[in-house]
Amino acid sequence: MYQILYVAISLQFIIASKCETLPESITKCHYGDNRCVRLSINEVIEKFPKGIPVIGMKAMDVVKLPNVQFANNDELNDFWFKLKLYNQSIYGFENTVISEAKGFVKDPTSAQIKIRGVIPKLVCAGNYDAKGRMLWMLNINATGVTKSELSHVLFRMALRVQTEYRNNKRYLKINELTPNIGIDRWQMWFDNFFPENPALTTVINTIFNENWSEIWKELENPILQIFTNVLLSMLKSIFDNVPYDDLFISKNDTKQL
């Protein structure tokens, strides 16, 4: 009998330990209090740029990216390219300022969750491989270091979620995330683009930066997908670890903005 009781208590302890709780320093809000939610999110971003591992919040100051490839594969044309980015990291998410946060209500499935914000600057740096043909049959076969800077990144995202129960607690599951981003400027540099001609490397990078808006139009969709994957990873990690209702004020909570 005592062994059965011991096992039951142990199982309850293990189950409870899977349910992570917010650190006391994080401000909780009432359901639907958009102003408080916005201020609380900004407070968390400012105080915890390295993330909060215990609740699944990932670091925001350095975000590692999976390998990415951009390609126009029609090699019969005068212009084609294959660009692979790897060992890439993004810096700057820790300076995000949220300007709007709506939809965090008692029943989050009843409407879209909407978040808007601005990131002063995002820097993406790492390695690249490039192959292609451009500028009147000029062949490209380069490997080197690349760095990009996106200035004044305005973003908004709409989420549709569902709730699922684990251990009698509600957790959010993201069904759909629709983002939109805009930038004021995109500066980039591909080192060693023409290994045997540094002057031509400078010329090509100058052309890229003078025509950044056209390049942005060409690559906006794949870049938006990368941005979406980063946001999904950040949000999903938190939603998987923290029960939705634990994010908000209960009868025993007193701290709020």
Side-chain angles (χ1 to χ4, degrees):
M1 178 67 182
Y2 289 108
Q3 289 180 333
I4 296 174
L5 182 61
Y6 175 77
V7 170
I9 293 173
S10 298
L11 286 173
Q12 288 295 321
F13 177 79
I14 292 171
I15 290 173
S17 68
K18 298 296 184 181
C19 175
E20 304 295 353
T21 57
L22 292 178
E24 292 185 359
S25 59
I26 294 180
T27 299
K28 292 186 179 182
C29 304
H30 291 286
Y31 295 105
D33 188 340
N34 297 333
R35 175 183 177 276
C36 177
V37 170
R38 173 177 59 81
L39 292 175
S40 181
I41 294 174
N42 283 325
E43 182 183 48
V44 170
I45 293 172
E46 181 180 358
K47 287 183 176 180
F48 303 99
K50 300 291 185 183
I52 311 174
V54 70
I55 66 168
M57 178 181 166
K58 297 181 179 181
M60 300 185 69
D61 56 343
V62 183
V63 177
K64 300 291 184 181
L65 290 181
N67 295 345
V68 180
Q69 182 162 310
F70 305 102
N72 173 355
N73 291 318
D74 191 354
E75 299 183 16
L76 297 178
N77 290 337
D78 290 339
F79 174 80
W80 64 272
F81 69 90
K82 293 180 180 178
L83 175 65
K84 179 181 178 182
L85 304 179
Y86 58 99
N87 295 333
Q88 296 283 321
S89 296
I90 299 181
Y91 307 86
F93 278 108
E94 75 276 13
N95 297 314
T96 300
V97 177
I98 301 299
S99 58
E100 179 183 75
K102 295 181 177 180
F104 293 94
V105 294
K106 181 70 173 178
D107 179 8
T109 67
S110 63
Q112 282 186 327
I113 294 174
K114 296 182 179 180
I115 301 173
R116 291 176 180 261
V118 61
I119 308 168
K121 182 170 68 174
L122 284 178
V123 177
C124 185
N127 301 99
Y128 80 93
D129 292 333
K131 292 184 179 181
R133 184 185 300 120
M134 62 187 299
L135 296 179
W136 305 286
M137 309 301 286
L138 186 63
N139 291 322
I140 303 166
N141 188 0
T143 297
V145 175
T146 181
K147 180 179 180 181
S148 293
E149 292 186 6
L150 303 177
S151 299
H152 199 249
V153 181
L154 290 168
F155 71 91
R156 64 178 183 270
M157 56 180 166
L159 292 83
R160 288 201 176 276
V161 300
Q162 70 181 58
T163 55
E164 56 184 22
Y165 283 84
R166 301 200 304 270
N167 310 324
N168 295 319
K169 295 257 187 175
R170 290 196 303 170
Y171 290 81
L172 290 191
K173 180 180 179 181
I174 300 173
N175 286 339
E176 179 184 349
L177 189 154
T178 305
N180 188 280
I181 59 175
I183 61 173
D184 281 357
R185 186 82 170 89
W186 184 14
Q187 293 179 295
M188 64 198 87
W189 179 264
F190 292 89
D191 189 35
N192 209 39
F193 206 74
F194 292 97
E196 298 178 359
N197 194 333
L200 187 55
T201 292
T202 300
V203 169
I204 291 299
N205 277 284
T206 300
I207 292 173
F208 287 162
N209 286 295
E210 289 178 348
N211 297 276
W212 70 268
S213 59
E214 296 302 316
I215 299 174
W216 175 261
K217 291 176 184 177
E218 183 75 20
L219 300 180
E220 183 175 3
N221 286 337
I223 291 174
L224 192 59
Q225 186 59 54
I226 295 170
F227 194 76
T228 301
N229 291 340
V230 169
L231 293 176
L232 274 174
S233 177
M234 288 181 173
L235 293 173
K236 183 178 183 300
S237 185
I238 296 174
F239 290 163
D240 282 350
N241 283 278
V242 182
Y244 180 68
D245 296 299
D246 287 2
L247 296 170
F248 299 92
I249 291 175
S250 68
K251 294 180 180 180
N252 298 323
D253 294 319
T254 57
K255 186 188 176 189
Q256 68 180 111
L257 290 174

